[in-house]
Protein backbone atom coordinates (compact mmCIF):
# COMPACT_ATOMS: atom_id res chain seq x y z
CA UNK A 1 0.00 0.00 0.00
CA UNK A 2 0.97 3.58 -0.67
CA UNK A 3 -0.61 6.56 1.13
CA UNK A 4 -3.03 7.65 -1.63
CA UNK A 5 -4.13 4.30 -3.00
CA UNK A 6 -7.87 4.33 -3.70
CA UNK A 7 -7.90 8.00 -4.78
CA UNK A 8 -8.73 8.71 -8.43
CA UNK A 9 -7.63 11.93 -10.12
CA UNK A 10 -8.99 13.03 -13.49
CA UNK A 11 -6.17 15.16 -14.87
CA UNK A 12 -7.14 17.59 -17.63
CA UNK A 13 -3.98 19.65 -17.20
CA UNK A 14 -1.04 20.18 -19.53
CA UNK A 15 2.56 21.40 -19.58
CA UNK A 16 4.23 21.66 -16.16
CA UNK A 17 2.70 22.97 -12.90
CA UNK A 18 -0.35 20.70 -12.64
CA UNK A 19 1.25 17.66 -14.31
CA UNK A 20 4.04 17.97 -11.73
CA UNK A 21 1.42 17.98 -8.95
CA UNK A 22 -0.48 15.00 -10.31
CA UNK A 23 2.76 13.04 -10.82
CA UNK A 24 3.60 13.55 -7.15
CA UNK A 25 0.16 12.24 -6.19
CA UNK A 26 0.42 9.33 -8.64
CA UNK A 27 3.70 8.20 -7.17
CA UNK A 28 2.15 8.36 -3.70
CA UNK A 29 -0.48 5.88 -4.88
CA UNK A 30 -3.32 7.83 -6.51
CA UNK A 31 -4.65 6.64 -9.85
CA UNK A 32 -4.13 9.54 -12.25
CA UNK A 33 -6.04 9.43 -15.52
CA UNK A 34 -4.35 11.94 -17.82
CA UNK A 35 -6.72 13.29 -20.46
CA UNK A 36 -4.93 14.34 -23.66
CA UNK A 37 -5.91 15.79 -27.00
CA UNK A 38 -6.26 13.10 -29.70
CA UNK A 39 -3.40 13.13 -32.18
CA UNK A 40 -1.11 15.57 -30.40
CA UNK A 41 -1.51 15.07 -26.66
CA UNK A 42 -0.02 17.31 -23.99
CA UNK A 43 1.98 20.08 -25.69
CA UNK A 44 5.10 18.95 -23.87
CA UNK A 45 5.21 15.76 -25.95
CA UNK A 46 6.68 18.11 -28.56
CA UNK A 47 9.10 19.93 -26.23
CA UNK A 48 12.85 19.33 -26.32
CA UNK A 49 15.02 17.69 -25.14
CA UNK A 50 14.26 14.46 -26.99
CA UNK A 51 15.54 10.98 -26.20
CA UNK A 52 16.06 8.74 -29.23
CA UNK A 53 14.32 5.37 -29.26
CA UNK A 54 16.72 2.45 -29.32
CA UNK A 55 15.21 1.01 -32.50
CA UNK A 56 15.61 4.32 -34.30
CA UNK A 57 11.90 5.03 -33.90
CA UNK A 58 10.09 8.15 -32.75
CA UNK A 59 11.89 10.50 -30.37
CA UNK A 60 10.38 10.89 -26.90
CA UNK A 61 10.28 14.21 -25.04
CA UNK A 62 12.39 14.18 -21.89
CA UNK A 63 10.32 17.16 -20.72
CA UNK A 64 7.09 15.15 -20.92
CA UNK A 65 8.66 12.17 -19.17
CA UNK A 66 9.91 14.34 -16.30
CA UNK A 67 6.37 15.31 -15.25
CA UNK A 68 4.11 12.47 -16.30
CA UNK A 69 5.40 9.26 -14.79
CA UNK A 70 3.05 6.76 -13.15
CA UNK A 71 -0.09 8.00 -14.98
CA UNK A 72 -2.52 6.44 -17.44
CA UNK A 73 -3.18 8.35 -20.66
CA UNK A 74 -6.50 8.56 -22.46
CA UNK A 75 -7.37 10.72 -25.44
CA UNK A 76 -10.63 12.66 -25.40
CA UNK A 77 -11.67 15.50 -27.69
CA UNK A 78 -13.15 18.19 -25.43
CA UNK A 79 -14.52 20.00 -28.47
CA UNK A 80 -16.78 17.04 -29.17
CA UNK A 81 -20.08 16.74 -27.28
CA UNK A 82 -19.61 13.00 -27.00
CA UNK A 83 -16.08 13.58 -25.74
CA UNK A 84 -17.36 15.98 -23.11
CA UNK A 85 -19.94 13.41 -22.09
CA UNK A 86 -17.10 10.94 -21.46
CA UNK A 87 -15.41 13.49 -19.18
CA UNK A 88 -18.66 14.11 -17.27
CA UNK A 89 -19.12 10.38 -16.77
CA UNK A 90 -15.52 9.94 -15.59
CA UNK A 91 -15.91 12.90 -13.23
CA UNK A 92 -18.80 11.19 -11.46
CA UNK A 93 -16.39 8.42 -10.44
CA UNK A 94 -13.38 10.59 -9.57
CA UNK A 95 -12.24 12.08 -6.29
CA UNK A 96 -10.34 15.00 -7.86
CA UNK A 97 -10.39 16.85 -11.17
CA UNK A 98 -7.41 19.07 -12.05
CA UNK A 99 -7.45 21.58 -14.91
CA UNK A 100 -5.37 24.55 -16.04
CA UNK A 101 -7.33 25.91 -18.99
CA UNK A 102 -7.75 29.69 -19.42
CA UNK A 103 -10.55 31.08 -17.25
CA UNK A 104 -13.96 30.37 -18.76
CA UNK A 105 -12.85 27.67 -21.24
CA UNK A 106 -14.40 24.71 -19.44
CA UNK A 107 -17.47 26.73 -18.48
CA UNK A 108 -18.18 27.21 -22.20
CA UNK A 109 -17.85 23.46 -22.66
CA UNK A 110 -20.14 22.52 -19.81
CA UNK A 111 -17.31 21.10 -17.72
CA UNK A 112 -16.95 23.78 -15.04
CA UNK A 113 -17.22 22.96 -11.36
CA UNK A 114 -20.81 24.20 -11.34
CA UNK A 115 -21.64 21.67 -14.08
CA UNK A 116 -19.97 18.68 -12.42
CA UNK A 117 -20.66 19.26 -8.73
CA UNK A 118 -24.35 18.24 -8.98
CA UNK A 119 -23.23 14.97 -10.60
CA UNK A 120 -20.59 14.30 -7.91
CA UNK A 121 -20.93 16.43 -4.74
CA UNK A 122 -17.72 14.90 -3.36
CA UNK A 123 -15.62 16.01 -6.35
CA UNK A 124 -12.63 18.20 -5.52
CA UNK A 125 -12.21 20.44 -8.56
CA UNK A 126 -8.88 22.29 -8.85
CA UNK A 127 -8.37 25.15 -11.30
CA UNK A 128 -4.78 26.36 -11.61
CA UNK A 129 -4.46 29.45 -13.81
CA UNK A 130 -1.99 32.26 -14.28
CA UNK A 131 -3.80 34.90 -12.24
CA UNK A 132 -6.72 33.09 -10.66
CA UNK A 133 -10.47 33.07 -11.28
CA UNK A 134 -11.02 36.69 -10.20
CA UNK A 135 -9.33 40.07 -10.26
CA UNK A 136 -8.35 42.42 -13.10
CA UNK A 137 -5.74 40.04 -14.52
CA UNK A 138 -7.90 36.90 -14.47
CA UNK A 139 -8.08 36.53 -18.25
CA UNK A 140 -4.46 37.42 -18.95
CA UNK A 141 -2.13 34.80 -20.42
CA UNK A 142 1.21 34.03 -18.87
CA UNK A 143 4.03 31.57 -18.45
CA UNK A 144 6.54 30.79 -15.72
CA UNK A 145 8.90 33.67 -16.46
CA UNK A 146 6.04 36.18 -16.64
CA UNK A 147 5.03 35.24 -13.10
CA UNK A 148 8.65 35.36 -11.96
CA UNK A 149 8.90 38.89 -13.36
CA UNK A 150 5.59 40.25 -12.09
CA UNK A 151 5.90 38.72 -8.61
CA UNK A 152 9.17 40.55 -7.93
CA UNK A 153 11.26 37.39 -7.89
CA UNK A 154 13.41 38.44 -10.85
CA UNK A 155 14.00 41.84 -9.30
CA UNK A 156 15.77 40.07 -6.42
CA UNK A 157 17.89 37.78 -8.58
CA UNK A 158 21.16 38.82 -10.19
CA UNK A 159 24.57 40.24 -9.41
CA UNK A 160 25.19 43.52 -7.63
CA UNK A 161 24.68 46.41 -10.02
CA UNK A 162 23.54 44.06 -12.79
CA UNK A 163 20.21 43.44 -14.40
CA UNK A 164 17.54 41.00 -13.26
CA UNK A 165 18.13 37.31 -13.88
CA UNK A 166 15.69 34.42 -13.93
CA UNK A 167 16.58 31.39 -11.80
CA UNK A 168 17.89 28.37 -13.66
CA UNK A 169 14.67 26.39 -13.08
CA UNK A 170 10.98 27.20 -13.77
CA UNK A 171 10.34 28.00 -10.12
CA UNK A 172 6.92 29.56 -10.74
CA UNK A 173 5.69 26.35 -12.34
CA UNK A 174 7.32 24.08 -9.77
CA UNK A 175 6.16 25.95 -6.69
CA UNK A 176 2.66 26.32 -8.12
CA UNK A 177 2.61 22.56 -8.65
CA UNK A 178 3.52 22.05 -5.01
CA UNK A 179 0.66 24.34 -3.96
CA UNK A 180 -1.74 22.35 -6.14
CA UNK A 181 -0.54 19.21 -4.35
CA UNK A 182 -1.01 20.83 -0.94
CA UNK A 183 -4.50 22.01 -1.93
CA UNK A 184 -5.57 18.54 -3.04
CA UNK A 185 -4.24 16.80 0.06
CA UNK A 186 -5.91 19.39 2.29
CA UNK A 187 -9.22 19.09 0.46
CA UNK A 188 -9.15 15.30 0.67
CA UNK A 189 -8.70 15.56 4.41
CA UNK A 190 -11.48 18.15 4.66
CA UNK A 191 -13.82 15.91 2.68
CA UNK A 192 -13.48 13.19 5.29
CA UNK A 193 -15.24 15.56 7.71
CA UNK A 194 -17.93 17.04 5.44
CA UNK A 195 -18.36 14.48 2.69
CA UNK A 196 -18.29 17.35 0.20
CA UNK A 197 -15.77 18.46 -2.36
CA UNK A 198 -15.50 21.99 -3.72
CA UNK A 199 -13.71 24.31 -6.13
CA UNK A 200 -10.10 25.29 -5.41
CA UNK A 201 -8.71 28.37 -7.17
CA UNK A 202 -4.89 28.28 -7.47
CA UNK A 203 -3.19 31.31 -9.03
CA UNK A 204 0.41 30.91 -10.18
CA UNK A 205 0.94 34.63 -9.69
CA UNK A 206 -0.42 34.42 -6.14
CA UNK A 207 1.85 31.45 -5.48
CA UNK A 208 4.91 33.45 -6.49
CA UNK A 209 3.98 36.53 -4.47
CA UNK A 210 3.44 34.29 -1.44
CA UNK A 211 7.00 32.96 -1.83
CA UNK A 212 8.53 36.41 -1.30
CA UNK A 213 8.45 35.72 2.47
CA UNK A 214 11.81 37.06 3.76
CA UNK A 215 12.04 39.80 1.14
CA UNK A 216 8.48 40.87 1.95
CA UNK A 217 9.22 40.74 5.68
CA UNK A 218 12.13 43.11 5.14
CA UNK A 219 9.92 45.43 3.11
CA UNK A 220 7.14 45.35 5.72
CA UNK A 221 9.55 45.95 8.59
CA UNK A 222 11.86 48.54 7.05
CA UNK A 223 10.11 49.78 3.93
CA UNK A 224 13.23 48.65 2.08
CA UNK A 225 13.23 47.27 -1.45
CA UNK A 226 16.00 44.65 -1.33
CA UNK A 227 18.82 45.10 -3.86
CA UNK A 228 20.26 42.31 -5.98
CA UNK A 229 23.16 40.70 -4.15
CA UNK A 230 24.13 37.71 -6.29
CA UNK A 231 24.68 34.73 -4.00
CA UNK A 232 24.86 36.90 -0.88
CA UNK A 233 22.14 36.99 1.78
CA UNK A 234 20.76 40.44 2.66
CA UNK A 235 20.61 39.73 6.40
CA UNK A 236 23.43 37.30 7.06
CA UNK A 237 27.18 37.70 6.55
CA UNK A 238 28.95 35.68 5.38
CA UNK A 239 26.44 33.80 3.28
CA UNK A 240 27.72 33.65 -0.28
CA UNK A 241 29.56 31.63 -2.90
CA UNK A 242 33.31 32.15 -3.21
CA UNK A 243 35.60 31.35 -6.14
CA UNK A 244 38.53 29.09 -5.26
CA UNK A 245 41.97 28.82 -6.84
CA UNK A 246 40.89 26.03 -9.23
CA UNK A 247 38.06 28.22 -10.57
CA UNK A 248 35.45 26.17 -8.71
CA UNK A 249 33.02 27.66 -6.24
CA UNK A 250 32.17 26.92 -2.61
CA UNK A 251 29.14 28.28 -0.78
CA UNK A 252 29.44 29.27 2.89
CA UNK A 253 26.68 30.29 5.30
CA UNK A 254 27.45 30.92 8.96
CA UNK A 255 25.76 31.98 12.16
CA UNK A 256 27.54 33.55 15.12
CA UNK A 257 28.66 30.20 16.53
CA UNK A 258 30.48 29.43 13.29
CA UNK A 259 32.36 32.72 13.00
CA UNK A 260 35.38 31.80 15.08
CA UNK A 261 35.78 28.31 13.54
CA UNK A 262 35.56 29.85 10.06
CA UNK A 263 38.22 32.45 10.82
CA UNK A 264 40.56 29.86 12.31
CA UNK A 265 40.04 27.42 9.41
CA UNK A 266 40.86 30.10 6.84
CA UNK A 267 43.58 31.86 8.83
CA UNK A 268 41.61 35.09 9.19
CA UNK A 269 43.21 36.19 12.45
CA UNK A 270 42.66 39.87 11.75
CA UNK A 271 38.93 39.48 11.28
CA UNK A 272 38.67 37.23 14.32
CA UNK A 273 40.43 39.82 16.48
CA UNK A 274 37.97 42.54 15.44
CA UNK A 275 35.32 42.49 18.18
CA UNK A 276 32.78 44.32 16.01
CA UNK A 277 32.58 41.31 13.74
CA UNK A 278 31.67 38.82 16.46
CA UNK A 279 27.94 39.22 15.82
CA UNK A 280 25.97 38.92 12.63
CA UNK A 281 24.66 42.48 12.93
CA UNK A 282 28.22 43.73 13.13
CA UNK A 283 29.22 41.73 10.09
CA UNK A 284 26.20 42.93 8.12
CA UNK A 285 27.20 46.51 8.92
CA UNK A 286 30.71 45.81 7.63
CA UNK A 287 29.81 43.42 4.84
CA UNK A 288 32.53 44.65 2.48
CA UNK A 289 35.34 44.10 4.99
CA UNK A 290 34.20 40.56 5.75
CA UNK A 291 33.65 39.62 2.12
CA UNK A 292 37.01 41.03 1.07
CA UNK A 293 38.86 39.02 3.71
CA UNK A 294 37.12 35.71 2.98
CA UNK A 295 37.41 36.20 -0.78
CA UNK A 296 41.19 36.67 -0.50
CA UNK A 297 41.55 33.55 1.66
CA UNK A 298 39.44 31.39 -0.64
CA UNK A 299 41.40 32.43 -3.73
CA UNK A 300 44.46 30.70 -2.25
CA UNK A 301 42.75 27.32 -1.80
CA UNK A 302 41.25 24.76 -4.15
CA UNK A 303 37.59 23.99 -3.58
CA UNK A 304 38.50 20.62 -2.09
CA UNK A 305 41.02 22.20 0.28
CA UNK A 306 38.61 24.93 1.39
CA UNK A 307 35.74 22.51 1.90
CA UNK A 308 37.89 20.09 3.88
CA UNK A 309 39.07 22.88 6.18
CA UNK A 310 35.60 24.34 6.76
CA UNK A 311 33.76 21.04 7.02
CA UNK A 312 36.37 19.78 9.46
CA UNK A 313 35.77 22.87 11.59
CA UNK A 314 31.99 22.35 11.59
CA UNK A 315 31.30 25.37 9.36
CA UNK A 316 28.22 24.99 7.09
CA UNK A 317 29.58 24.93 3.56
CA UNK A 318 29.03 23.05 0.33
CA UNK A 319 30.51 22.83 -3.16
CA UNK A 320 28.58 24.65 -5.85
CA UNK A 321 28.09 21.55 -7.99
CA UNK A 322 27.40 21.41 -11.69
CA UNK A 323 24.59 19.08 -12.74
CA UNK A 324 26.93 16.24 -13.68
CA UNK A 325 28.61 16.55 -10.27
CA UNK A 326 25.23 16.39 -8.54
CA UNK A 327 24.25 13.17 -10.32
CA UNK A 328 27.61 11.57 -9.47
CA UNK A 329 27.57 12.69 -5.83
CA UNK A 330 27.87 9.85 -3.34
CA UNK A 331 25.04 11.12 -1.13
CA UNK A 332 22.66 11.48 -4.10
CA UNK A 333 23.45 7.90 -5.02
CA UNK A 334 23.18 6.59 -1.46
CA UNK A 335 19.74 8.19 -1.06
CA UNK A 336 18.55 6.68 -4.34
CA UNK A 337 17.46 10.04 -5.75
CA UNK A 338 18.03 8.84 -9.31
CA UNK A 339 15.94 5.81 -10.22
CA UNK A 340 15.04 4.14 -13.49
CA UNK A 341 11.91 3.05 -15.28
CA UNK A 342 11.53 0.74 -18.26
CA UNK A 343 10.17 2.53 -21.32
CA UNK A 344 8.72 0.50 -24.21
CA UNK A 345 10.86 2.25 -26.87
CA UNK A 346 13.71 3.84 -24.89
CA UNK A 347 14.50 0.90 -22.65
CA UNK A 348 15.77 1.73 -19.18
CA UNK A 349 15.60 5.49 -18.54
CA UNK A 350 16.49 7.56 -15.45
CA UNK A 351 14.46 10.09 -13.51
CA UNK A 352 14.42 11.86 -10.15
CA UNK A 353 12.41 10.17 -7.40
CA UNK A 354 10.21 12.02 -4.93
CA UNK A 355 12.16 13.25 -1.87
CA UNK A 356 9.96 11.30 0.57
CA UNK A 357 10.49 8.31 2.83
CA UNK A 358 7.44 6.84 4.58
CA UNK A 359 7.65 4.86 7.78
CA UNK A 360 4.91 2.24 7.67
CA UNK A 361 3.89 2.92 4.06
CA UNK A 362 5.42 1.77 0.84
CA UNK A 363 7.72 4.48 -0.47
CA UNK A 364 6.78 6.35 -3.65
CA UNK A 365 7.99 4.42 -6.69
CA UNK A 366 8.38 4.97 -10.39
CA UNK A 367 5.96 4.03 -13.07
CA UNK A 368 6.86 4.94 -16.61
CA UNK A 369 5.21 7.84 -18.45
CA UNK A 370 2.38 6.65 -20.72
CA UNK A 371 2.31 6.58 -24.48
CA UNK A 372 -0.33 8.88 -25.95
CA UNK A 373 -3.79 7.38 -25.41
CA UNK A 374 -2.27 4.09 -24.30
CA UNK A 375 -4.95 3.41 -21.70
CA UNK A 376 -8.05 4.85 -23.39
CA UNK A 377 -9.88 1.60 -23.98
CA UNK A 378 -8.73 0.13 -20.67
CA UNK A 379 -9.95 3.10 -18.61
CA UNK A 380 -13.29 3.42 -20.41
CA UNK A 381 -13.92 -0.27 -19.98
CA UNK A 382 -13.00 -0.29 -16.28
CA UNK A 383 -14.59 3.01 -15.32
CA UNK A 384 -17.60 3.30 -17.61
CA UNK A 385 -18.22 -0.30 -18.69
CA UNK A 386 -17.72 0.48 -22.38
CA UNK A 387 -17.04 -2.40 -24.71
CA UNK A 388 -14.59 -2.33 -27.62
CA UNK A 389 -17.32 -1.57 -30.15
CA UNK A 390 -18.45 1.54 -28.25
CA UNK A 391 -14.87 2.78 -27.91
CA UNK A 392 -14.31 2.20 -31.63
CA UNK A 393 -17.46 4.15 -32.47
CA UNK A 394 -16.31 7.08 -30.33
CA UNK A 395 -12.95 7.03 -32.08
CA UNK A 396 -14.65 6.96 -35.44
CA UNK A 397 -16.70 10.08 -34.75
CA UNK A 398 -13.72 12.01 -33.35
CA UNK A 399 -14.67 11.96 -29.66
CA UNK A 400 -11.50 10.05 -28.67
Amino acid sequence: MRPLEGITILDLSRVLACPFATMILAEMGAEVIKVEQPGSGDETRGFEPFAQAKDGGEEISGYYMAFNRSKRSITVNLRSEEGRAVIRDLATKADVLVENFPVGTLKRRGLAHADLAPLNPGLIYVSCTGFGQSGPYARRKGYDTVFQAMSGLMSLTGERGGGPVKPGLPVADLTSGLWVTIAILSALQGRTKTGKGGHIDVSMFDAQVSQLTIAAARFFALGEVPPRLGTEHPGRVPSASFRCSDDKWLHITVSDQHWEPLCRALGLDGLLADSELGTNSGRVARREDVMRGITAAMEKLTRAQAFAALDGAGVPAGPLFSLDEVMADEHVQARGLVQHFEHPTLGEFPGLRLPLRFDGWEDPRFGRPPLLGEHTEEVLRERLGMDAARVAALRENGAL
Side-chain angles (χ1 to χ4, degrees), residues 236-306:
R236 178 179 289 188
V237 175
S239 178
S241 296
F242 296 89
R243 189 194 299 268
C244 300
S245 64
D246 54 359
D247 207 31
K248 296 181 179 180
W249 293 75
L250 187 75
H251 194 89
I252 303 170
T253 295
V254 307
S255 296
D256 287 347
Q257 68 266 31
H258 308 119
W259 175 242
E260 181 177 346
L262 177 142
C263 290
R264 294 195 185 283
L266 297 180
L268 300 173
D269 297 338
L271 293 181
L272 181 58
D274 191 329
S275 60
E276 291 184 358
L277 302 180
T279 65
N280 183 64
S281 58
R283 294 191 297 275
V284 170
R286 292 177 54 190
R287 178 187 297 270
E288 300 302 328
D289 293 339
V290 173
M291 292 296 293
R292 189 182 306 111
I294 298 176
T295 297
M298 296 290 283
E299 288 174 345
K300 299 174 184 176
L301 302 170
T302 66
R303 185 176 73 181
Q305 290 171 334

Side-chain angles (χ1 to χ4, degrees), residues 142-149 154 166 169-174 204 208:
Y143 284 108
D144 171 89
T145 47
V146 172
F147 309 129
Q148 288 189 35
M154 275 195 203
K166 76 174 184 65
L169 292 171
V171 293
D173 278 317
L174 294 171
M204 296 179 68
Q208 293 323 290

Side-chain angles (χ1 to χ4, degrees), residues 68-135:
N68 289 285
R69 296 191 309 260
S70 304
K71 304 176 185 180
R72 296 205 286 175
S73 169
I74 68 173
T75 54
V76 180
N77 183 1
L78 300 186
R79 295 183 175 88
S80 158
E81 178 50 43
E82 285 193 277
R84 293 193 292 270
V86 168
I87 297 299
R88 282 191 283 271
D89 289 343
L90 288 171
T92 65
K93 302 177 184 301
D95 297 287
V96 180
L97 183 149
V98 179
E99 62 92 5
N100 60 353
F101 285 89
V103 173
T105 300
L106 293 187
K107 181 178 180 180
R108 292 192 297 273
R109 295 177 181 173
L111 297 174
H113 175 254
D115 301 307
L116 301 182
L119 306 177
N120 182 359
L123 181 67
I124 296 163
Y125 189 114
V126 183
S127 297
C128 178
T129 57
F131 296 96
Q133 300 293 307
S134 62

